Amino acid sequence: MANITAAMVKDLREKTDAGMMDCKKALVATDGDFEKAVVWLREKGLAKAAKKAGVVAAEGLCNYVVSGNKVVLFELNSQTDFVAQNAKFIALLDQVGQIIASSNATNTEEALAIDVNGKTLETVIMEASGTIGEKISLRRVQVLTKTDAQVFGAYKHMGGRIVTVSVLAGNDEVVAKDVAMHVAALAPKYVSKDDIPADVVAKEKEVILAAALNENAASPKPKPENIIAERIVPGRLEKNLKEICLLSQAFVKNPDLTVEQYVKGAKSEVVTFVRLEVGEGIEKVETDFAAEVAAQAAAAAK
């Protein structure tokens, strides 16, 4: 039996983009023969899926699974929106959610390593990629927990393009659901101003000051710079920070109230929330379809 080293596993992973454990299994099964291991992975459908590894998977769906006092939120990506509506993709979405919810995983890395009947969840997803015909990837996993004195509010928009979960102290699930819907619509970043990191506040203040000074310089009657810094900037900063905080936003169902006023009126209190939207932060590759067809036609004509 050949000695399977970490370097061999790394080389095979770079060649095939298959999972680390699958690369090791392939090398063990082929007694360390690199080329046979590549074939072994292809036969298992793992290398086939890996060929798609360079493609951007920016579509897909988000989902949540509630299990007692725990809720798992996650994003499963595909290359196209069409595949995200595929019955096999939807079944995989449900399967992945149940697997994570039944485990102790708290993040994406831990979730991908979950054992599923002798395979990692990463392998299960890669095998599904080969069957479905597109790169499928588990991108984000977040877990929220609550006490018995708290409630979850969950909301899914456009079948899972956006999912949100709120945690409220109190026992009013309707209010919690309303807050989750509000979070989906207005996308706050923090519960309150107290939750905003000092460096974020400082950066925002810096940006506002620079903009205000530029406006002042272009004004026919410029004000002294200390007036800008001491009177104008604080007001703008306060307004901007309120706009990104859940409690200070105008409640989407009744703009005459802030979210804080609505929740307090229902004898509840917002503890936290999570909002996931498909493709956030992914730089999508824009394809010129006409140019692509023309290039293929030109190549075929040669």
Side-chain angles (χ1 to χ4, degrees):
M1 171 90 51
N3 179 34
I4 309 301
T5 66
M8 293 167 66
V9 174
K10 179 176 179 291
D11 289 345
L12 184 58
R13 178 175 171 78
E14 290 176 350
K15 170 75 174 180
T16 65
D17 273 331
M20 294 290 284
M21 293 304 297
D22 293 314
C23 288
K24 185 173 182 180
K25 287 178 183 177
L27 288 164
V28 170
T30 58
D31 200 29
D33 188 303
F34 188 89
E35 294 304 323
K36 287 183 179 179
V38 173
V39 173
W40 188 92
L41 287 168
R42 291 187 64 192
E43 289 175 347
K44 299 293 183 183
L46 301 176
K48 175 184 177 182
K51 287 181 180 178
K52 302 175 175 60
V55 182
V56 176
E59 297 295 336
L61 291 172
C62 298
N63 201 10
Y64 64 83
V65 178
V66 178
S67 178
N69 280 349
K70 177 177 80 171
V71 60
V72 172
L73 299 92
F74 64 99
E75 178 183 0
L76 192 67
N77 293 130
S78 61
Q79 291 169 233
T80 64
D81 182 57
F82 178 77
V83 161
Q85 309 307 316
N86 182 294
K88 290 181 180 178
F89 182 88
I90 300 298
L92 178 65
L93 185 77
D94 292 338
Q95 179 189 14
V96 169
Q98 293 300 326
I99 289 170
I100 300 173
S102 299
S103 74
N104 294 320
T106 60
N107 55 47
T108 309
E109 183 180 1
E110 291 174 1
L112 289 170
I114 296 170
D115 182 88
V116 186
N117 299 321
K119 301 177 182 178
T120 63
L121 179 57
E122 181 180 19
T123 299
V124 171
I125 293 171
M126 288 187 70
E127 289 176 345
S129 294
T131 301
I132 294 172
E134 277 195 9
K135 179 184 177 183
I136 309 295
S137 59
L138 180 64
R139 179 168 172 245
R140 291 185 288 177
V141 174
Q142 290 186 248
V143 176
L144 289 178
T145 58
K146 71 176 184 65
T147 67
D148 291 337
Q150 298 171 341
V151 291
F152 287 133
Y155 177 68
K156 186 183 296 187
H157 184 65
M158 294 179 64
R161 293 291 300 179
I162 300 172
V163 298
T164 59
V165 173
S166 65
V167 180
L168 267 63
N171 60 2
D172 199 324
E173 294 183 356
V174 173
V175 174
K177 175 72 173 288
D178 281 346
V179 171
M181 291 176 68
H182 175 97
V183 169
L186 269 70
K189 294 182 179 180
Y190 307 96
V191 173
S192 72
K193 287 197 298 180
D194 294 339
D195 300 315
I196 305 177
D199 62 324
V200 173
V201 176
K203 181 62 178 177
E204 184 68 13
K205 184 176 181 179
E206 181 182 312
V207 171
I208 292 172
L209 176 59
L213 290 174
N214 287 335
E215 290 174 16
N216 189 55
S219 172
K221 295 181 179 180
K223 296 180 177 65
E225 289 193 5
N226 67 305
I227 297 296
I228 302 296
E230 295 171 11
R231 297 184 186 178
I232 295 178
V233 171
R236 291 186 183 182
L237 178 63
E238 180 74 9
K239 179 178 180 293
N240 286 11
L241 296 183
K242 279 185 176 181
E243 289 176 351
I244 62 174
C245 293
L246 172 62
L247 295 182
S248 53
Q249 289 179 335
F251 180 43
V252 71
K253 282 191 169 184
N254 182 0
D256 291 334
L257 298 175
T258 63
V259 172
E260 183 173 27
Q261 290 170 333
Y262 169 67
V263 172
K264 281 187 174 180
K267 295 182 170 61
S268 299
E269 180 182 349
V270 177
V271 178
T272 189
F273 68 87
V274 170
R275 182 185 190 276
L276 296 185
E277 182 171 354
V278 170
E280 285 176 308
I282 299 177
E283 186 175 344
K284 297 184 182 182
V285 177
E286 299 296 334
T287 302
D288 185 335
F289 184 69
E292 185 177 319
V293 172
Q296 290 179 357
K302 290 180 180 179

